[in-house]
Amino acid sequence: MKVSTRRDTYITRIILNMLHRIKKLLMSIQLSYRLSPKFTIFLLSLLFSSLGLFAQKDKVQVLPTQTIRGEIQDLGSHQLLVGATVELWKDSVFIGTTTDEKGQYRFDKLPLGRYWMEVRFLGYETIVINEILLESGKEFIQDIWLRENPELLNPIIITAAGREVEALQKLSAHTITVEETFRFPATFNDPVRLAMSYPGVVSLNDQANGISIRGNSPNAMQWRLEGVEIVNPNHLSNAGASSDRATLNGGGVNILSAQMLGTSTLWTGAFPVEYGNALGGVMDMRLRKGNDEEHEFTAKIGLIGLTLAAEGPFSDSTDASFLINYRYSFVGLLTSMGVDFGDEEINFQDLSFNVNIPTKKAGEFSLFGMGGKSKNIFERKDSADVEYEKDLLNIRFDSKMGAIGLSHKLGIGSSFWTSSLVFSASQNEWLSDFPAAPDQIFVDGESDNFERKKLSFLTNMDRKLKGSHLKYGLGITYERTDFSSFEARFISGITLFDEHFGNLSSWIIRPYVNWRKELTSKLELQTGAGLSYYTFPKFSYFEPSFQLTYKFNEKESLSFRSSVHSQYFMPEVFAVDWEKFIKRNPGLEPIRTAHTVLSYQNYLNSKTLLTVELYNQNIFQIPLHKKNQSTYSLINFAEGTDWMGLGILGSRLEGESVMINSGIASNVGIDLSLHKFISDEFYYLISGSLYRSTYEDIDNVKHDTRFNGNYVLNLTTGKEFHKTKITKTRIFGMNLRAVLAGGMRYTPFTGLKPDPNDPNPFSRKLNDYFRSDVRFYWKWNKPKSTATLALDIQNVTNRKNEAYYYHDVVKDGIVLKEQLGLIPNLSYKIEF
């Protein structure tokens, strides 16, 4: 029987009105980007066919349902656990099952909404999983790893938020889920932008995802994909940079869309022993497997751009699956709406994939890759419209990045072997020129070209021993950096040329081992070490790690961890060839650091987690300028080209260095977070940090670092409203994020720029930073599809936070550059 109500008619009118508006949006896109009529027709066809699933009336009135499934394994050996108990509850719905002979569990035809899951197995710790959002457009697949603990009388309950779940506590780590990325405000589907809600993480500029972690430079962070090191995986790596050049670790948006990601982890200190070549943070991104039973599709269009994704099995006769995602940006639409990106034409696109191939005896193989290109172009203004120095210039920035990798997993008895091999590369080219004078032959201009390549391999073995666990492995990374910089200046009738170019290639070889032992039912020990060997320059470092955890009860624990690490902080500075292959700063060693963390965790209930961490980071072997009374330190580098024009890279005389590894720095602070996972359709994350970041110069005088903001406070909260009718369920969500942080520091200007050897460096501070973001979303679940209409507004109060100061030749003085104002992003997504 077909049901028709006034409410249905009203909603249908809303949908038709939305279709009309999006049609006009696509036509404006065609005009703005000169898209071919065929491509525009393709977009319209895709949109209308997708919305047809949403708008049409069902012939049979069926309440939408969906499936929750997965498998349960031993955390140490990854052996499948047969007979584990899995229980689900939602409101008044309660259902249970056990895993089959393949260690798999399955719940079919479940009502939609948010669920909680509890997993138990005799002799193992119990785990509770919350924030499971079940929608009709996609199955929910949740794999779980339980830790053996036969001596434990009362099972420990560990709460995890809908992510790849391991019953193992992590210190100074924040795991990020796809669902959170879609729910939190103004993330733009970028895991790092979501991580800015966590304690100790400070955004450096609204235009980019570059972050300072616990007072460290953004250059101190490392990116990893499937556990191995890669180059900067971001579009528009010059976004928000004062020099407008490429940065080492930041960018406008991550090339990997959240559609591709499983669980990503941001490590903020005292990293596990397998992580080398990092000082201040590690972002380890993990790809999720495509659905191996059902084909699923996603289409999303918004003011930022278009996203298309598909996943599913290759055939009914195999368990192999694929996942693929493509994005194309429409950022120019925001500019046409009045959003100020500095009058630049901005564009990016990317493609990523993950193919998973399980075998019966040889283990599981995955082939994955990502690639993206981006550009921003600024065209010189007419003389009558020139207001700032930038208006005189033609500027073009082009960026490309790609990665391809293969991973393998294999269970061998009570051991589990994993290996990953990834090649990644990036190229960034920046060009700028001034208008030529009448008698000028050559145009004044500058250009930079940076190419980075990394070949990374990681293999490790997890062995489950009697009463303990042993993990050992080997990491190998080959890194090559090629760069050039060219400058032409017309002075007194003569064009002067200056050129810098060079390269660095090095291997980093790092074997490591870690041993974990339950000393008693309440006390756990972890100890291990890595040996980092750098081939150029030839140095090796023993890097130990130690952790002790005391469990007061099933919900409360106190942990202490200490670890030592090293990093090629700025390859261009450590060792380069310049002009006649003259080595500069020979003998400089990588920077080293020692982390110490004391962490207290308390699950106040199954829905709320309190975490308090005290940390101390001592950094040493920092390159300083040899000159007496110099205050220069490499630890303050924020951008990839900070070294240019400062005269600190060394003499042109072979074998002479003007830098020495004698600097030290310190980051001390406290991080606090209170996280209520979503229950009763409400959640919040309150986090805060108090910290101090300092360094000493060549004369042992202590100064603030550039990143010593002293504090950051965050509030992220949201509320959902659920409504179920005969054939559809609806969710309306409201989300808010507010951040207040101390301003970054800068050195006073002396003439055209700050003096790198100023006796009072970073003595001034930008005004405190405040920003609030909101996100509203409407979800409609029908029997075979989920539609989401969302509105994100970044900086809803339109506050103009301070970014940096610079000298402007047109203004003939020091000018303050402000950060972005209000940025809206309206999007529509359908999953089916």
Side-chain angles (χ1 to χ4, degrees):
M1 178 178 178
K2 189 173 182 180
V3 178
S4 177
T5 65
R6 292 182 180 180
R7 181 65 175 172
D8 292 332
T9 304
Y10 175 68
I11 292 176
T12 301
R13 289 176 180 173
I14 293 176
I15 295 169
L16 293 175
N17 183 54
M18 182 173 63
L19 284 170
H20 177 69
R21 291 177 179 273
I22 296 179
K23 176 184 175 182
K24 292 176 64 178
L25 173 66
L26 289 174
M27 298 307 295
S28 68
I29 291 171
Q30 181 191 13
L31 294 175
S32 299
Y33 287 91
R34 297 180 176 87
L35 301 180
S36 68
K38 291 183 179 180
F39 184 67
T40 305
I41 292 172
F42 165 73
L43 293 178
L44 288 168
S45 301
L46 172 68
L47 180 65
F48 279 98
S49 62
S50 300
L51 287 174
L53 295 172
F54 170 76
Q56 68 182 3
K57 297 289 184 180
D58 294 299
K59 294 181 179 180
V60 180
Q61 301 296 325
V62 179
L63 183 68
T65 62
Q66 192 49 276
T67 298
I68 295 178
R69 62 184 177 91
E71 63 182 28
I72 301 175
Q73 304 177 18
D74 180 286
L75 176 62
S77 66
H78 285 245
Q79 292 179 331
L80 300 174
L81 298 181
V82 179
T85 299
V86 184
E87 295 177 344
L88 282 176
W89 68 92
K90 169 188 177 292
D91 300 328
S92 59
V93 177
F94 179 85
I95 187 172
T97 188
T98 57
T99 53
D100 59 19
E101 68 278 0
K102 296 181 179 180
Q104 298 177 347
Y105 69 92
R106 188 183 190 96
F107 298 93
D108 288 316
K109 297 183 178 180
L110 291 173
L112 306 182
R114 291 195 179 272
Y115 283 83
W116 291 61
M117 179 188 294
E118 182 174 306
V119 182
R120 300 191 306 271
F121 193 65
L122 184 63
Y124 285 77
E125 295 177 352
T126 296
I127 192 164
V128 174
I129 306 166
N130 54 33
E131 296 189 339
I132 296 176
L133 178 60
L134 187 63
E135 299 179 303
S136 55
K138 283 187 179 294
E139 291 186 337
F140 189 90
I141 303 173
Q142 179 74 75
D143 296 332
I144 301 164
W145 290 264
L146 295 182
R147 184 167 67 161
E148 188 175 15
N149 198 350
E151 298 180 1
L152 196 62
L153 300 179
N154 297 316
I156 293 179
I157 299 175
I158 299 179
T159 306
R163 46 181 62 101
E164 283 186 355
V165 178
E166 297 180 357
L168 187 64
Q169 292 172 326
K170 299 177 180 179
L171 276 69
S172 297
H174 304 291
T175 51
I176 300 166
T177 70
V178 177
E179 192 275 333
E180 287 173 328
T181 307
F182 292 149
R183 174 162 40 99
F184 282 28
T187 66
F188 299 105
N189 295 345
D190 188 330
V192 177
R193 290 183 183 270
L194 185 147
M196 296 173 188
S197 297
Y198 290 106
V201 182
V202 178
S203 169
L204 296 182
N205 193 289
D206 291 340
Q207 292 190 42
N209 59 13
I211 55 177
S212 171
I213 300 175
R214 292 180 172 177
N216 282 281
S217 164
N219 293 341
M221 195 186 86
Q222 180 193 94
W223 288 94
R224 292 201 172 206
L225 180 62
E226 291 297 307
V228 298
E229 187 175 351
I230 61 172
V231 300
N232 184 3
N234 289 295
H235 287 299
L236 304 167
S237 57
N238 67 330
S242 59
S243 65
D244 201 33
R245 269 93 159 190
T247 58
L248 288 179
N249 284 322
V253 65
N254 199 303
I255 291 176
L256 271 179
S257 169
Q259 300 280 358
M260 295 293 300
L261 295 175
T263 299
S264 299
T265 303
L266 176 65
W267 298 90
T268 58
F271 326 123
V273 68
E274 60 261 37
Y275 292 108
N277 196 31
L279 293 179
V282 177
M283 172 57 82
D284 193 350
M285 301 181 294
R286 302 284 175 159
L287 300 173
R288 67 180 181 91
K289 296 185 289 187
N291 193 319
D292 59 358
E293 294 184 5
E294 301 287 340
H295 287 97
E296 297 173 339
F297 304 92
T298 299
K300 179 181 178 181
I301 190 168
L303 298 178
I304 298 296
L306 170 72
T307 300
L308 301 174
E311 61 182 287
F314 281 101
S315 69
D316 295 335
S317 60
T318 176
D319 292 329
S321 64
F322 70 90
L323 172 63
I324 188 169
N325 187 91
Y326 173 74
R327 287 190 303 182
Y328 185 86
S329 72
F330 300 145
V331 181
L333 290 178
L334 289 175
T335 304
S336 66
M337 294 172 58
V339 177
D340 183 12
F341 289 108
D343 296 324
E344 295 181 358
E345 175 191 339
I346 299 174
N347 185 270
F348 65 83
Q349 59 180 313
D350 54 64
L351 177 71
S352 49
F353 68 90
N354 186 25
V355 176
N356 183 258
I357 307 174
T359 65
K360 292 183 178 180
K361 295 183 179 181
E364 182 179 289
F365 295 87
S366 292
L367 176 67
F368 52 90
M370 58 186 289
K373 60 180 182 179
S374 58
K375 66 178 180 180
N376 51 35
I377 299 173
F378 180 86
E379 294 184 353
R380 181 184 300 122
K381 294 184 178 181
D382 295 335
S383 57
D385 298 325
V386 171
E387 186 177 0
Y388 297 98
E389 178 179 346
K390 181 179 178 180
D391 299 335
L392 298 171
L393 305 174
N394 286 320
I395 303 174
R396 182 184 180 98
F397 179 81
D398 291 278
S399 179
K400 299 176 184 177
M401 184 271 170
I404 186 77
L406 179 68
S407 65
H408 177 235
K409 301 176 182 178
L410 177 65
I412 307 174
S414 61
S415 301
F416 192 73
W417 180 33
T418 61
S419 299
S420 294
L421 175 68
V422 178
F423 173 75
S424 61
S426 66
Q427 181 182 29
N428 300 291
E429 185 175 14
W430 181 86
L431 299 169
S432 172
D433 67 75
F434 282 91
D439 57 344
Q440 189 173 345
I441 299 177
F442 299 99
V443 176
D444 281 11
E446 298 177 71
S447 68
D448 299 326
N449 189 297
F450 277 77
E451 296 182 13
R452 301 185 189 277
K453 303 180 182 70
K454 288 187 180 183
L455 177 65
S456 301
F457 173 73
L458 178 69
T459 183
N460 63 62
M461 180 74 76
D462 283 322
R463 296 195 60 184
K464 186 177 178 181
L465 306 176
K466 186 176 181 180
S468 65
H469 176 269
L470 182 66
K471 182 177 183 179
Y472 53 91
L474 174 67
I476 302 174
T477 298
Y478 171 75
E479 178 176 357
R480 181 179 176 91
T481 300
D482 293 273
F483 62 93
S484 63
S485 174
F486 178 83
E487 181 178 13
R489 284 285 182 263
F490 188 72
I491 302 175
S492 301
I494 301 175
T495 300
L496 302 179
F497 298 95
D498 194 9
E499 184 176 14
H500 307 263
F501 60 88
N503 63 72
L504 165 69
S505 60
S506 176
W507 291 85
I508 304 174
I509 302 171
R510 195 172 190 274
Y512 62 88
V513 62
N514 188 73
W515 180 65
R516 188 177 76 240
K517 169 71 175 177
E518 292 274 352
L519 301 178
T520 69
S521 61
K522 292 190 173 184
L523 188 63
E524 179 186 87
L525 170 68
Q526 287 192 59
T527 185
L531 180 64
S532 293
Y533 174 66
Y534 297 82
T535 62
F536 184 72
K538 293 184 178 180
F539 293 102
S540 59
Y541 305 110
F542 177 72
E543 299 174 345
S545 175
F546 174 84
Q547 179 175 326
L548 197 63
T549 300
Y550 181 77
K551 305 167 187 175
F552 298 98
N553 50 52
E554 65 272 16
K555 296 181 179 181
E556 192 177 7
S557 66
L558 181 68
S559 300
F560 171 83
R561 182 174 180 83
S562 180
S563 61
V564 178
H565 303 271
S566 57
Q567 185 190 34
Y568 265 137
F569 188 75
M570 285 284 294
E572 295 83 1
V573 174
F574 277 89
V576 299
D577 297 336
W578 185 24
E579 294 165 326
K580 297 180 180 179
F581 300 99
I582 298 174
K583 296 179 181 178
R584 314 188 70 193
N585 294 311
L588 278 184
E589 300 183 36
I591 300 177
R592 305 186 66 194
T593 185
H595 292 269
T596 302
V597 177
L598 181 65
S599 176
Y600 172 77
Q601 290 187 342
N602 189 348
Y603 288 93
L604 305 179
N605 51 53
S606 60
K607 305 171 184 177
T608 308
L609 171 63
L610 171 67
T611 303
V612 181
E613 290 195 349
L614 299 170
Y615 64 87
N616 180 71
Q617 180 187 8
N618 292 313
I619 310 171
F620 50 102
Q621 289 190 185
I622 304 170
L624 302 178
H625 202 293
K626 284 183 178 180
K627 177 184 174 183
N628 290 335
Q629 298 182 341
S630 171
T631 58
Y632 172 81
S633 173
L634 194 66
I635 204 66
N636 292 303
F637 270 26
E639 300 177 12
T641 53
D642 273 357
W643 57 271
M644 295 176 57
L646 295 181
I648 52 87
L649 281 182
S651 160
R652 295 176 183 239
L653 299 177
E654 183 172 6
E656 183 178 342
S657 172
V658 297
M659 303 188 75
I660 185 173
N661 287 106
S662 62
I664 62 173
S666 174
N667 296 317
V668 181
I670 179 172
D671 289 348
L672 183 147
S673 68
L674 183 65
H675 192 176
K676 179 188 181 297
F677 303 108
I678 192 164
S679 60
D680 302 322
E681 288 77 52
F682 174 69
Y683 76 94
Y684 60 78
L685 171 59
I686 303 172
S687 69
S689 300
L690 296 174
Y691 63 98
R692 186 182 182 191
S693 178
T694 60
Y695 78 99
E696 293 187 10
D697 62 24
I698 193 69
D699 296 316
N700 299 320
V701 178
K702 183 177 290 188
H703 308 279
D704 291 313
T705 70
R706 174 184 293 194
F707 313 102
N708 188 24
N710 294 128
Y711 78 95
V712 58
L713 301 172
N714 281 284
L715 168 65
T716 305
T717 185
K719 173 69 177 175
E720 289 184 340
F721 301 88
H722 294 235
K723 186 175 182 180
T724 301
K725 297 190 71 174
I726 296 177
T727 60
K728 62 186 72 174
T729 62
R730 302 168 185 163
I731 300 176
F732 171 68
M734 303 184 299
N735 304 270
L736 166 72
R737 177 181 180 251
V739 56
L740 177 65
M744 295 292 102
R745 298 180 180 270
Y746 66 97
T747 302
F749 276 68
T750 54
L752 303 183
K753 59 184 179 181
D755 182 359
N757 294 313
D758 190 294
N760 297 300
F762 307 107
S763 57
R764 295 188 181 178
K765 194 176 182 184
L766 298 174
N767 288 336
D768 287 355
Y769 174 97
F770 175 78
R771 198 184 87 192
S772 54
D773 309 322
V774 296
R775 175 175 171 83
F776 302 97
Y777 55 81
W778 297 261
K779 290 178 178 284
W780 294 268
N781 284 283
K782 297 198 73 177
K784 294 184 179 181
S785 65
T786 300
T788 304
L789 180 66
L791 174 63
D792 280 276
I793 304 178
Q794 177 177 298
N795 195 5
V796 67
T797 63
N798 200 32
R799 176 186 170 97
K800 300 297 180 66
N801 289 294
E802 296 179 351
Y804 52 84
Y805 286 92
Y806 73 99
H807 182 272
D808 191 288
V809 296
V810 173
K811 295 293 186 180
D812 193 24
I814 308 302
V815 174
L816 171 65
K817 178 67 174 179
E818 294 179 333
Q819 300 197 42
L820 296 178
L822 183 148
I823 301 180
N825 181 30
L826 179 67
S827 64
Y828 176 80
K829 179 174 70 172
I830 184 162
E831 299 169 294
F832 56 97

